[in-house]
Amino acid sequence: AGMAAAMAKSSSIRPLQANGKTKRKNKETIRSKRNVLVRAEAEKIDGKAIAAKVRLEVQEEVRQMKAATGRVPGLAVVLVGNRKDSETYVRNKKKACEEAGIQSFGTDLPADASEEEVLAVVRGYNDNVDVHGILVQLPLPSHMNEEKILGSISIEKDVDGFHPLNLGKLAMRGREPLFVPCTPKGCIELLERSSISISGKNAVVLGRSNIVGTPAAMLLQRKDATVTVVHSRTPDIPFYLKNADIVIAALGKADFVRGEWLKPGCAVIDVGINAVDDPTAKRGYRLVGDVEYDSASKVASHITPVPGGVGPMTIAMLLRNTVDGAKRCVEQATN
């Protein structure tokens, strides 16, 4: 009996093993006091680093195009009004074009410009053979018809991917849009360049905007994910997240998604960028995403930070779309 007790005691203190080797502590999963499966810190998806690679690839393609044809891609940006955030976005886009070797065009109009003035500018860029991409910076002043203005951009130059024909083709099987919206395209690029499988996975998209949520859901479906879209009218959002292998959050609510809502080991792409008061910060505020990073990073396997995650990819994908448009134009001219 004494020997049996000793053997039982010995067997109860064996080290945890996997394939004959003790698992390293930082790879273990443990249960927290709230009975949530918690992992070591999630792998951070570095949007800045991935975007930098994309921009170098674009730069090289521009160099090759110039050497072969003597031409370079051209991007035109139309800015209406003097919103500080829009001016910053446009300035960053122009700088990115310069670094990539893309020719930059721009027209700034006052906030009280007429809709017809904006349409005339767009028509001029539609007819300009040196312009391969046209971007109208959103939001537009309230007196303008956004749908009409975006619809006036030539589908061959719709690098934002917002033309109804491009979005319509994105939604259809067996059809290929000329351009895909930049931010959703960047989300997929982050997943794929991080070796995160999409096919056959359950994906949840939070938000249904025309700019991010809806096209992101369509792109995931094209990649053979099973997609659920939740939004402001969806009851019990955590119920859907509990089974999600991939989460794309794009609803504009600071720290909305909690770690305990997530499926252990999921991948989280946080599109949100929200300013929250922080008296300790130099500007009096700090930027956070739609996902509570600290708690989510203990459950997810991969997660994007805010800032430094999706944001840099948006401009990188805009450059990519512009180069693709230019290459398509050159091919059509030679055929």
Side-chain angles (χ1 to χ4, degrees):
M3 184 177 293
M7 290 176 65
K9 183 177 180 180
S10 174
S11 64
S12 68
I13 57 173
R14 290 176 183 170
L16 180 64
Q17 293 186 335
N19 298 325
K21 295 182 180 179
T22 303
K23 288 184 176 180
R24 289 181 297 177
K25 187 175 180 180
N26 65 345
K27 294 295 184 181
E28 292 179 358
T29 58
I30 61 175
R31 290 206 175 265
S32 73
K33 292 180 180 179
R34 288 191 289 183
N35 200 34
V36 177
L37 191 62
V38 179
R39 294 177 175 267
E41 193 80 5
E43 181 178 333
K44 186 183 294 185
I45 300 176
D46 190 342
K48 285 184 179 179
I50 295 174
K53 290 179 182 178
V54 174
R55 289 168 71 156
L56 284 175
E57 293 165 5
V58 166
Q59 189 178 51
E60 176 58 21
E61 289 183 39
V62 171
R63 187 194 67 76
Q64 292 178 7
M65 179 180 176
K66 185 176 182 179
T69 68
R71 300 183 63 188
V72 297
L75 174 66
V77 179
V78 181
L79 176 64
V80 185
N82 56 358
R83 285 176 56 115
K84 295 300 181 185
D85 56 348
S86 292
E87 289 175 344
T88 299
Y89 294 148
V90 169
R91 187 164 55 248
N92 290 342
K93 289 166 185 174
K94 289 181 177 179
K95 181 182 177 182
C97 283
E98 182 180 348
E99 292 174 353
I102 294 173
Q103 188 174 5
S104 183
F105 300 80
T107 300
D108 296 349
L109 296 172
D112 60 355
S114 69
E115 187 176 285
E116 181 52 41
E117 287 179 281
V118 179
L119 290 170
V121 170
V122 171
R123 285 194 293 267
Y125 286 135
N126 281 341
D127 295 335
N128 188 332
V129 295
D130 293 324
V131 173
H132 306 99
I134 302 171
L135 183 153
V136 175
Q137 184 65 42
L138 301 178
L140 290 167
S142 59
H143 67 279
M144 294 186 181
N145 186 328
E146 179 182 298
E147 181 180 357
K148 182 177 180 181
I149 290 172
L150 295 181
S152 71
I153 298 172
S154 167
I155 190 173
E156 288 85 7
K157 300 186 179 186
D158 174 40
V159 287
D160 249 346
F162 295 153
H163 193 288
L165 288 179
N166 275 323
L167 285 174
K169 288 185 177 182
L170 180 62
M172 299 174 69
R173 290 176 62 84
R175 304 288 190 276
E176 289 299 326
L178 295 180
F179 300 101
V180 171
C182 301
T183 300
K185 184 174 181 177
C187 292
I188 301 300
E189 195 83 9
L190 287 172
L191 290 169
E192 292 185 332
R193 292 198 182 221
S194 300
S195 301
I196 296 167
S197 175
I198 300 175
S199 179
K201 302 298 183 180
N202 290 320
V204 170
V205 177
L206 293 95
R208 52 180 171 175
S209 72
N210 292 333
I211 296 174
V212 181
T214 296
M218 291 190 288
L219 280 171
L220 286 165
Q221 187 166 290
R222 277 178 166 254
K223 298 289 184 179
D224 296 321
T226 301
V227 185
T228 301
V229 178
V230 301
H231 45 77
S232 59
R233 299 298 179 90
T234 303
D236 195 11
I237 289 176
F239 169 81
Y240 298 95
L241 292 174
K242 274 297 181 185
N243 196 42
D245 303 300
I246 297 169
V247 175
I248 295 182
L251 38 70
K253 289 188 177 182
D255 290 335
F256 178 77
V257 177
R258 309 289 178 173
E260 58 262 34
W261 296 0
L262 301 173
K263 178 181 178 180
C266 68
V268 178
I269 305 295
D270 192 350
V271 182
I273 183 162
N274 312 282
V276 297
D277 292 336
D278 184 353
T280 66
K282 185 176 180 180
R283 297 182 178 180
Y285 68 89
R286 57 189 171 86
L287 298 177
V288 301
D290 291 347
V291 179
E292 188 183 58
Y293 186 87
D294 288 345
S295 63
S297 64
K298 293 178 174 63
V299 182
S301 63
H302 296 77
I303 189 169
T304 57
V306 176
V310 175
M313 291 299 293
T314 299
I315 290 182
M317 292 299 100
L318 174 64
L319 301 179
R320 159 60 55 208
N321 279 354
T322 302
V323 171
D324 288 347
K327 290 165 70 174
R328 192 159 42 236
C329 180
V330 169
E331 290 172 4
Q332 290 172 350
T334 57
N335 290 338

